Amino acid sequence: MSATAQRPEDLMGLSDEEFDTILEIMGREPNFTELSIFSVMWSEHCSYKSSKFWLKTLPTDGPQVIQGPGENAGVIDIGDGLAAIFKIESHNHPSFIEPYQGAATGVGGIMRDVFTMGARPIANLNALRFGSPDHPKTRHLINGVVAGIGGYGNCIGVPTVGGEVNFDPGYNGNILVNAMTVGIANTDKIFYSAAAGLGLPVVYVGSKTGRDGIHGATMASAEFDDDSADKRPTVQVGDPFTEKLLLEACLELMATDAIVAIQDMGAAGLTSSSVEMASKGNVGITLNLDDVPQRETEMQPFELMLSESQERMLMVLKPGREDEARAIFEKWELDLSVIGTTNDSERLVLTSAGEVVADIPVPPLVAAAPEYERPWTATPPREVLGHDAVPAPFDLGVALLTMIESPDLCSRRWIWEQYDHMVMGDTVGRPGVDAALVRVHGTQKALAISTDCTPRYVEANPFEGGKQAVAEAWRNVTSVGATPLAVTNNLNFGNPERPEIMGQLVGAVQGMGEACLALDSPVVSGNVSLYNETNGAAILPTPVIGCVGLLEDVTQRMGAAFEADGDAIFVVGETTGWLGCSIYQRDMAGGSAGAPPPVDLNTERQNGDFVRASIAAHQINACHDVSDGGLAVALAEMAIAGNVGADIDYKPAIPVHAWAFGEDQARYVVTTADPASFEALAAAANVAVTRIGRVGGAALTLPGAEPISVESLREAHTRWLPEYMASR
Amino acid sequence: MKARIHITLKNGVLDPQGKAIHHSLEGLGFDGVNDVRQGKFIEIELTDGDKVAAEAKVAEMCEQLLANTVIEDFSVEIDG
Amino acid sequence: MTAAVIVFPGSNCDRDVAVSLEAALGHAPIMAWHGDSTLPDVDLIVVPGGFSYGDYLRSGAMAANSPIMREVIARANGGTPVLGICNGFQVLTECGLLPGVLMRNASLKFVCRDVDLRVERADTVFTSQYTKDQVIRIPVAHHDGNYFTDPETHKALEDNGQVAFRYCAADGSITDDANPNGSLANIAGILNTAGNVLGMMPHPERLADPLLGGLDGAPMFSALAEAIAA
């Protein structure tokens, strides 16, 4: 057989070599439906072909890990028979094309990943990156994305408790929408996707199938060009009401023992869900496509297999339990249809109108999926800037006000007030500062959750930036008193076929791996989004980390607000005044950005463990991590949160602007009523602490600056975003 | 037989969505727009039968569910 | 002394209000499914918040036509206290137990935040543990909370003292700035003429636990527990 002679014109994104492998697997030319199935299964989005080699280097184990990467979401043990199940996932491309529906379906999809495993979702977070505020599309995109996230999460009744937002021209043509969901399950009621067992009914539940999002998975694996707006028809539309019913119906059925396996129909819909279940269960699956509930007429087999219609699940039940399942789904007004059975063929066989329309051996479809060790070049190191390389401001106080009013540092209240962040009655730490804190219903436990990444650091030095993303998320979770347990990651990069982009991915993954190991926070789930480019311009490398930690007794939580007058203020960690890649350098000084702050993981660990122990020992009254904008911004945020000022009378030995705005890592600001004991504890733990002032009054006074009233800090902090969104 | 139902806000009831659309149209440079009111359009497929009876039935649907007559007016057209 | 919480497809504050009721009553309320046409004998009915039927068509419209609401209307007319919170308020207006309608917020945006409310009536089964003109802090979380009615109905509401709560500034003054959604006369909650049906947009169940940031919602549930125990 001459393979090349019969090569179809449209390989659906597959390479010539990949097509040759398909010919070998099939022993014949695949038909259109079969080729479509290979195309989506081997797309970057489903196969992780460019990143898999490096993802395997990440630490994924630990005594707390029940399930690492490879299932719908990661699972960790939080004690007393309970598990936290979580994952972060991108919906970047759909959100740029149709921001409301793109973001909404992103939220819907990640929640399904979590409740598929038996968990009730208890918190949503979102890591968002938009283009420059001056870009004509930015306002429209923010409006749509925020409304879409709210529209979905508010309706289904899961609180949206936190996240992050950055602006950078690098995202002008390709925004990032990364959605994270955390759920709670009993450790003895966790559901997986392996369809083990023969002659079992394969059951379709949820919404009917339409032509939504066909080739969405391949779209997520291609670069954008200016014609992308024409791709609008393939964007899926979310139905949060149906998802709410699906959630309740699934949890009700999961309370019985009727389910063998369950898998969400996400990217590549029925194709990836059925292949995954068959592959993990080492079985074959035969599906009769005529039995798939359909919303549109004359749908072709490839359309049914590739549709990304939302709010659908595929289940394998124990034999004879179909009626019990049907009764539950009918109560919730949802479709349930038996569409196939498992067998020992290890083949995916599709029939329609009594004929076989596709017949593919499953093991090679999965095992022969391409994996590339793409060539990469390391990002060249940048020079370390001295204090003198970044000029001091004319007025330190004015600089602080300008910075906290800026797009990257200002209050996100305008956004999170559009999210129901209180529904379910367990939101103990509301959005706004450090990690969100959500009580585990009916217990004293709480989960602390934070998403973080500093893309400008990653761009300057992918390895240090990758470490920093983990360290900052870990620090935020620590700041509320919780012990970080594990992370999920969302790797957003440009085109991996370009060696310099691949080098960013490699560096960031290596940095993350090192940090996860040092901070005992393994990666239990994640998602990779590549080809984030428009007209050849890549986004800033953005490897987002979502960290989950446990606080055994929620009443011991720590807040970031300044409290009692007279409390002593300390900085935990060393301040060298590192201005390279800082917000101050970028927004206030200009010139070369220089190298980002290095992350010393031993110090990070030591300082964090000390802070957590001090919180547990009731030594401190407020705690806030120091990140973007440095000490001065951290102090301003604590003053605004507590509506009380502070007098910072410390005389730094370095230039005061470097001291105030430098972004040295591994630092926290804490307050204490008993400075002597606190200093003794720090000395015993061998942790550097510096007493810098005291809480009190109605103004924040920084060294060498006029007092700034808390009221004017608050005004500056809250002004920009609502004004920007109201203007046109 | 098809019923086409238009549901609109009553005169005098503030329509914030219509106002926002109006504002956006002006922002896009469409001048000469005096007012915008947003409503709903609903199509219902009915089994064929008496047109007058169908009209009465659809009006009842509007009264009971489809429109909120505190703030909304409705009109019904029956085709075929 | 039992309470029932009505659960529609898409209700999502049913569990939250059940927690507050259980804390006040000492035992869990009955969760009544929308498709049931009968309701056990209860001393209090709560129509909870959420997105019944996804807020499709109009908030509360389809829930108002579900079988159990016929029974709720009958009980309300017989004097059983009925409390509708947020989507529950929308359902109570749609089914005619309360006058007026909840329209899209004037901002056109969903709003979730703590607001200050002035207690206008402290002589009802719902509000007896507040004092008149007391300012309480209760969260709102809604897209359609903009209360509207025609001038005659509004006049009647005011004349009969049917306004239970108004959005206010921290000092109790009724200002436009304090109005989160554009409601007519800053109305946040209203009673029927008999005083046994209350609909309100704010969520008292969300600030009835000190860990969640406040306790101003708790007196409503303890007042109801006291009233129906008597």
Side-chain angles (χ1 to χ4, degrees):
Chain A
M1 183 172 82
S2 160
T4 40
Q6 291 161 29
R7 194 176 301 278
E9 270 197 11
D10 180 5
L11 287 180
M12 305 184 194
L14 292 161
S15 70
D16 288 347
E17 296 74 33
E18 288 165 356
F19 185 76
D20 291 340
T21 310
I22 294 168
L23 289 179
E24 257 172 57
I25 291 171
M26 297 295 289
R28 61 176 165 81
E29 198 182 335
N31 65 31
F32 186 79
T33 304
E34 290 163 340
L35 190 60
S36 300
I37 289 171
F38 275 102
S39 157
V40 293
M41 287 306 295
W42 290 6
S43 70
E44 189 68 56
H45 192 76
C46 293
S47 74
Y48 294 88
K49 57 189 168 192
S50 299
S51 56
K52 204 160 37 178
F53 179 85
W54 296 101
L55 295 178
K56 286 179 193 161
T57 65
L58 290 168
T60 57
D61 289 331
Q64 71 276 41
V65 178
I66 294 176
Q67 173 67 53
E71 280 287 337
N72 283 294
V75 185
I76 57 171
D77 194 331
I78 60 165
D80 299 314
L82 295 171
I85 301 189
F86 60 96
K87 187 182 176 185
I88 190 165
E89 193 165 74
S90 65
H91 231 209
N92 303 335
H93 299 80
S95 300
F96 184 74
I97 292 172
E98 203 331 280
Y100 184 99
Q101 293 299 344
T105 52
V107 173
I110 192 64
M111 278 197 280
R112 275 196 307 286
D113 276 335
V114 165
F115 74 76
T116 302
M117 298 200 69
R120 180 174 284 281
I122 64 162
N124 287 327
L125 291 90
N126 300 280
L128 309 178
R129 263 92 195 170
F130 296 104
S132 162
D134 303 332
H135 190 268
K137 273 194 169 158
T138 299
R139 199 179 281 103
H140 157 75
L141 290 168
I142 298 172
N143 245 328
V145 166
V146 170
I149 289 168
Y152 210 101
N154 299 347
C155 181
I156 197 166
V158 174
T160 302
V161 296
E164 53 173 344
V165 184
N166 285 161
F167 296 88
D168 191 283
Y171 306 107
N172 278 354
N174 195 130
I175 62 171
L176 302 184
V177 174
N178 296 174
M180 175 173 173
T181 295
V182 183
I184 294 288
N186 291 323
T187 48
D188 60 355
K189 274 281 182 194
I190 295 168
F191 291 82
Y192 298 97
S193 55
L198 305 178
L200 305 178
V202 178
V203 170
Y204 170 118
V205 296
S207 292
K208 291 180 167 54
T209 297
R211 291 190 171 89
D212 318 60
I214 289 179
H215 284 302
T218 40
M219 177 172 101
S221 308
E223 288 178 41
F224 270 176
D225 53 38
D226 290 331
D227 297 332
S228 294
D230 296 340
K231 294 185 174 153
R232 201 180 296 256
T234 68
V235 168
Q236 316 92 305
V237 171
D239 179 357
F241 172 58
T242 297
E243 178 134 318
K244 167 73 173 167
L245 303 183
L246 191 59
L247 163 68
E248 299 300 338
C250 284
L251 292 181
E252 195 170 325
L253 183 59
M254 284 166 168
T256 73
D257 62 348
I259 299 176
V260 173
I262 178 164
Q263 172 78 31
D264 153 49
M265 286 192 232
L270 196 48
T271 297
S272 70
S273 53
S274 55
V275 169
E276 198 111 322
M277 292 177 99
S279 161
K280 290 212 173 109
N282 301 313
V283 298
I285 285 183
T286 300
L287 299 179
N288 180 6
L289 296 180
D290 302 336
D291 291 332
V292 172
Q294 296 169 33
R295 199 181 72 216
E296 295 178 58
T297 54
E298 290 173 36
M299 289 192 68
Q300 301 301 308
F302 84 95
E303 293 177 311
L304 290 167
M305 291 308 289
L306 301 192
S307 165
E308 295 190 354
S309 290
Q310 299 288 296
E311 293 89 24
R312 303 178 302 159
M313 296 273 201
L314 200 61
M315 299 192 293
V316 172
L317 298 179
K318 290 184 181 165
R321 305 297 287 273
E322 297 92 323
D323 288 347
E324 189 180 345
R326 182 171 284 114
I328 289 173
F329 278 79
E330 277 176 2
K331 173 189 154 192
W332 290 99
E333 300 173 15
L334 291 168
D335 279 322
L336 179 147
S337 176
V338 178
I339 62 168
T341 49
T342 63
N343 54 53
D344 63 0
S345 69
E346 296 198 53
R347 299 181 79 84
L348 177 68
V349 176
L350 308 177
T351 64
S352 177
E355 290 192 12
V356 171
V357 295
D359 182 351
I360 302 175
V362 172
L365 171 61
V366 175
E371 176 179 329
Y372 298 126
E373 201 186 330
R374 295 197 186 277
W376 58 278
T377 52
T379 304
R382 295 190 189 172
E383 59 163 343
V384 174
L385 302 184
H387 297 142
D388 305 340
V390 183
F394 176 69
D395 180 315
L396 195 77
V398 173
L400 173 60
L401 285 169
T402 309
M403 285 169 69
I404 62 172
E405 191 183 342
S406 70
D408 270 351
L409 291 176
C410 70
S411 165
R412 271 66 177 119
R413 177 178 289 271
W414 182 90
I415 294 173
W416 52 257
E417 278 192 349
Q418 295 183 56
Y419 303 151
D420 190 337
H421 48 269
M422 294 184 251
V423 64
M424 296 184 85
D426 287 307
T427 306
V428 175
R430 296 195 195 174
V433 275
D434 295 326
L437 196 61
V438 182
R439 180 171 55 191
V440 177
H441 195 69
T443 74
Q444 283 290 300
K445 294 177 196 285
L447 296 181
I449 317 159
S450 183
T451 66
D452 290 286
C453 177
T454 312
R456 63 181 189 280
Y457 294 173
V458 188
E459 183 190 33
N461 184 331
F463 180 72
E464 290 300 322
K467 276 158 67 180
Q468 196 274 343
V470 178
E472 187 178 343
W474 187 87
R475 218 182 294 145
N476 275 318
V477 165
T478 295
S479 294
V480 298
T483 306
L485 291 179
V487 304
T488 179
N489 63 4
N490 204 143
L491 306 176
N492 306 275
F493 291 90
N495 180 349
E497 294 160 42
R498 287 165 53 192
E500 68 278 18
I501 299 289
M502 198 59 210
Q504 294 176 336
L505 187 148
V506 171
V509 169
Q510 286 174 334
M512 282 186 159
E514 202 159 289
C516 289
L517 213 52
L519 301 175
D520 274 340
S521 299
V523 178
V524 296
S525 59
N527 171 247
V528 180
S529 172
L530 302 178
Y531 298 95
N532 289 290
E533 309 207 342
T534 302
N535 298 331
I539 57 161
L540 297 189
T542 313
V544 174
I545 284 286
C547 183
V548 175
L550 175 67
L551 184 60
E552 281 291 348
D553 179 359
V554 63
T555 63
Q556 303 302 307
R557 74 200 185 281
M558 181 50 52
F562 281 151
E563 283 193 346
D565 263 16
D567 275 359
I569 303 171
F570 282 87
V571 179
V572 176
E574 271 188 79
T575 302
T576 70
W578 192 287
L579 287 169
C581 274
S582 66
I583 295 249
Y584 175 82
Q585 180 282 323
R586 188 192 67 184
D587 292 355
M588 308 296 292
S592 159
V599 180
D600 180 330
L601 292 166
N602 287 331
T603 309
E604 196 70 64
R605 176 72 191 246
Q606 200 174 13
N607 293 0
D609 288 350
F610 166 70
V611 165
R612 206 175 308 109
S614 306
I615 293 169
H618 303 283
Q619 283 291 319
I620 59 187
N621 288 334
C623 178
H624 188 21
D625 97 300
V626 180
S627 55
D628 277 352
L631 264 182
V633 167
L635 290 164
E637 287 170 348
M638 295 175 86
I640 293 167
N643 202 23
V644 54
D647 187 14
I648 308 302
D649 52 10
Y650 179 72
K651 300 281 178 287
I654 55 177
V656 68
H657 73 291
W659 182 81
F661 300 124
E663 296 182 4
D664 295 283
Q665 298 295 299
R667 292 186 302 160
Y668 304 77
V669 175
V670 303
T671 68
T672 175
D674 186 354
S677 317
F678 180 75
E679 280 178 316
L681 277 177
N686 199 21
V687 164
V689 300
T690 311
R691 188 169 175 175
I692 60 168
R694 55 183 285 282
V695 176
L700 174 66
T701 309
L702 293 173
E706 292 296 308
I708 310 167
S709 72
V710 177
E711 207 35 58
S712 49
L713 286 173
R714 184 194 316 282
E715 250 174 55
H717 194 229
T718 50
R719 182 184 302 130
W720 184 77
L721 192 50
E723 281 186 5
Y724 170 72
M725 292 308 299
S727 61
R728 57 183 65 240
Chain B
M1 195 158 63
K2 199 173 254 179
R4 300 175 196 277
I5 304 154
H6 285 271
I7 296 168
T8 50
L9 284 172
K10 285 184 172 167
N11 278 334
V13 174
L14 178 72
D15 177 7
Q17 296 177 87
K19 236 171 69 179
I21 295 167
H22 192 175
H23 204 56
S24 291
L25 288 174
E26 285 175 341
L28 290 168
F30 291 101
D31 43 12
V33 179
N34 285 333
D35 193 19
V36 178
R37 305 283 283 171
Q38 182 184 293
K40 293 191 187 91
F41 174 67
I42 299 174
E43 264 185 0
I44 297 180
E45 278 284 335
L46 298 162
T47 46
D48 289 337
D50 180 55
K51 215 169 149 175
V52 178
E55 212 159 328
K57 191 164 157 193
V58 173
E60 209 181 313
M61 291 177 188
C62 290
E63 295 277 357
Q64 266 189 36
L65 177 69
L66 303 179
N68 181 341
T69 52
V70 176
I71 48 166
E72 292 170 335
D73 287 328
F74 60 86
S75 65
V76 178
E77 287 168 49
I78 307 272
D79 276 3
Chain C
M1 46 174 229
T2 36
V5 176
I6 311 293
V7 184
F8 301 104
S11 293
N12 64 31
C13 302
D14 43 332
R15 189 186 78 178
D16 304 1
V17 78
V19 167
S20 296
L21 286 167
E22 185 169 354
L25 294 169
H27 57 90
I30 294 164
M31 306 306 277
W33 186 238
H34 72 111
D36 296 346
S37 46
T38 59
L39 187 61
D41 260 338
V42 291
D43 308 299
L44 167 68
I45 298 169
V46 178
V47 189
F51 284 72
S52 59
Y53 295 94
D55 271 3
Y56 300 156
L57 189 62
R58 287 183 315 280
S59 307
M62 289 189 266
N65 284 285
S66 60
I68 202 147
M69 285 310 293
R70 283 193 280 278
E71 189 62 23
V72 172
I73 292 167
R75 299 289 177 86
N77 290 334
T80 304
V82 176
L83 169 62
I85 299 169
C86 198
N87 188 229
F89 185 12
Q90 294 159 347
V91 173
L92 294 182
T93 58
E94 280 283 346
C95 77
L97 276 176
L98 292 171
V101 59
L102 283 313
M103 296 179 55
R104 181 61 31 118
N105 293 346
S107 66
L108 302 182
K109 295 191 189 316
F110 189 94
V111 57
C112 178
R113 65 162 185 256
D114 291 352
V115 297
D116 289 319
L117 299 180
R118 192 172 77 190
V119 178
E120 303 286 282
R121 289 278 304 271
D123 57 343
T124 74
V125 287
F126 308 97
T127 56
S128 62
Q129 294 189 2
Y130 298 120
T131 52
K132 182 164 162 40
D133 294 330
Q134 183 183 346
V135 176
I136 59 174
R137 172 151 277 230
I138 304 278
V140 291
H142 58 247
H143 211 162
D144 297 318
N146 181 353
Y147 185 79
F148 175 82
T149 191
D150 58 77
E152 300 78 57
T153 311
H154 179 218
K155 184 172 184 307
L157 284 175
E158 300 287 354
D159 290 350
N160 299 335
Q162 287 174 256
V163 178
F165 300 104
R166 282 185 223 270
Y167 303 109
C168 70
D171 65 357
S173 57
I174 304 299
T175 65
D176 284 347
D177 280 351
N179 188 339
N181 52 32
S183 285
L184 179 70
N186 284 39
I187 289 173
I190 57 169
L191 297 150
N192 64 348
T193 46
N196 68 313
V197 177
L198 169 66
M200 61 191 296
M201 289 313 296
H203 287 270
E205 78 278 15
R206 291 191 179 189
L207 276 185
D209 175 344
L211 272 175
L212 303 182
L215 277 171
D216 281 3
M220 179 168 294
F221 299 101
S222 43
L224 283 165
E226 189 182 81
I228 64 181

